[in-house]
C-alpha cells in the first residue's frame, strides 16, 4: 500500500515579515504565531491541490484506452504517439529508445504501486517518487524519457536543444511556435541559447510544482 504524499515544505518566513531568526516577533505589528501557521497551511494546501491536479491531468493523458488504470501498453502507446509526431517510424532507433524509456518509467511506478496503477495510486506514487524522494530520484526516473525525446529532435547530435529543435519538441507535443519561443526563454535558465538535460528536467519538476507554466511532456 502506498502512502499519500505531502506537498513540499515551504521555507520559513523571512525577517521582512517581522520574524527574527529565533522566531521572536520583531514588533507588535508582526503576524501572530497562529496567523503564520495558518498562512503556511494555506500555502501547503494550495501547492498540494495544484500538484494533485497536474498529476491527475497526466493520468488522463496517459490512460490511452480510458479504462481507468495505467498499464504498460498505455506507456508504450504514449511513446509511439510522440515518436510519430516527430515523423519517426515505430521501428526507428529513436522510437525504440523512447519506448524503452517510457516502459522503464512504468515499471518503476507500477513496481512502487504493486501492479497496474489506478488514478489515486498514480497520484500517490508519483508524488512520493518524483517529489518526496528528492531531485536525484526524480532525475533518475525521468531522465531516460527526457533523453529519449532529445534524441528525436536533436539534429546536431550534441545532446543539447537549441531554439529550432525545441520548437520541434513543442510541436511534437501539441504546442504552437509562438508559445514554444516563450517557453524556451523560460526554460533556458542560464540564457546560453541551448537547453541541457538538466534544464529540461528542472522545467518538468517546476511545472508539476506549479512554478512554471511549460508542459514539456504534452
Amino acid at each position: 500500500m502506498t502512502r499519500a504524499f505531502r506537498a513540499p515544505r515551504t521555507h520559513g518566513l523571512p525577517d521582512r515579515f517581522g520574524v527574527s531568526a529565533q522566531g521572536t516577533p520583531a514588533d507588535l505589528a508582526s503576524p501572530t504565531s497562529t496567523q503564520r501557521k495558518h498562512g503556511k497551511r494555506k500555502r501547503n494546501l494550495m501547492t498540494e491541490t495544484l500538484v494533485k491536479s497536474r498529476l491527475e491531468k497526466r493520468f488522463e493523458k496517459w490512460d490511452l484506452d480510458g479504462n481507468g488504470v495505467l498499464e504498460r501498453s498505455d506507456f508504450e502507446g504514449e511513446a509511439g504517439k510522440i515518436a510519430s509526431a516527430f515523423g519517426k517510424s515505430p521501428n526507428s532507433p529513436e522510437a525504440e529508445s523512447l519506448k524503452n524509456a517510457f516502459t522503464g518509467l512504468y515499471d518503476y511506478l507500477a513496481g512502487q504501486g504493486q501492479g497496474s496503477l489506478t488514478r489515486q495510486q498514480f497520484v500517490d506514487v508519483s508524488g512520493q517518487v518524483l517529489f518526496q524522494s528528492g531531485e536525484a530520484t526524480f532525475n533518475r526516473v525521468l531522465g531516460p524519457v527526457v533523453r529519449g525525446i532529445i534524441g528525436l529532435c536533436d539534429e546536431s547530435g550534441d545532446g543539447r536543444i537549441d531554439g529550432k529543435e525545441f520548437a520541434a519538441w513543442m510541436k511534437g507535443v501539441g504546442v504552437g511556435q509562438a508559445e514554444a519561443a516563450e517557453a524556451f526563454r523560460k526554460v533556458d535558465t542560464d540564457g546560453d541559447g541551448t537547453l541541457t538535460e538538466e534544464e529540461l528536467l528542472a522545467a518538468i519538476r517546476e511545472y508539476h510544482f506549479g512554478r512554471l507554466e511549460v508542459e514539456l511532456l504534452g
Side-chain angles (χ1 to χ4, degrees):
M1 181 178 295
T2 58
R3 297 179 299 170
F5 75 96
R6 298 178 181 176
R9 294 182 178 180
T10 57
H11 295 294
L13 292 172
D15 289 343
R16 64 189 178 88
F17 285 95
V19 183
S20 68
Q22 292 77 27
T24 304
D27 56 65
L28 294 178
S30 300
T32 65
S33 175
T34 300
Q35 288 173 328
R36 290 194 298 272
K37 290 179 180 178
H38 176 73
K40 183 176 181 179
R41 285 196 299 269
K42 184 176 180 180
R43 289 192 298 275
N44 283 346
L45 180 60
M46 291 174 63
T47 301
E48 182 176 351
T49 299
L50 182 57
V51 169
K52 181 179 179 182
S53 173
R54 294 195 167 180
L55 287 175
E56 288 180 337
K57 180 180 178 182
R58 175 68 46 208
F59 177 92
E60 292 172 1
K61 183 178 188 298
W62 284 351
D63 182 19
L64 297 182
D65 58 11
N67 68 348
V69 295
L70 291 180
E71 301 163 308
R72 173 181 282 264
S73 59
D74 291 315
F75 282 66
E76 291 175 342
E78 181 63 20
K81 281 176 55 181
I82 295 174
S84 177
F86 281 98
K88 301 294 183 180
S89 69
N91 297 323
S92 68
E94 297 88 352
E96 285 290 337
S97 177
L98 185 63
K99 184 177 75 172
N100 291 338
F102 264 96
T103 55
L105 174 60
Y106 169 78
D107 289 342
Y108 193 97
L109 296 177
Q112 297 292 314
Q114 300 179 357
S116 62
L117 297 164
T118 65
R119 179 190 300 266
Q120 189 59 52
Q121 285 174 329
F122 175 75
V123 170
D124 290 345
V125 171
S126 296
Q128 293 171 15
V129 174
L130 305 183
F131 302 112
Q132 288 186 322
S133 297
E135 185 175 349
T137 298
F138 180 92
N139 291 350
R140 178 163 57 88
V141 175
L142 266 294
V145 172
V146 169
R147 287 193 293 273
I149 300 178
I150 289 175
L152 293 173
C153 58
D154 181 16
E155 296 179 356
S156 62
D158 61 356
R160 304 170 73 92
I161 300 298
D162 61 24
K164 179 182 177 182
E165 293 166 339
F166 184 76
W169 178 326
M170 292 290 94
K171 181 180 180 180
V173 296
V175 177
Q177 187 172 356
E179 292 86 351
E182 178 62 24
F184 184 88
R185 287 191 289 270
K186 293 178 179 179
V187 178
D188 184 19
T189 54
D190 61 7
D192 68 349
T194 62
L195 303 178
T196 64
E197 178 184 332
E198 290 74 20
E199 285 177 311
L200 293 163
L201 283 166
I204 294 172
R205 186 178 174 88
E206 291 293 285
Y207 168 78
H208 282 91
F209 276 134
R211 297 191 287 250
L212 184 67
E213 295 301 320
V214 177
E215 191 174 5
L216 295 181
L217 298 181

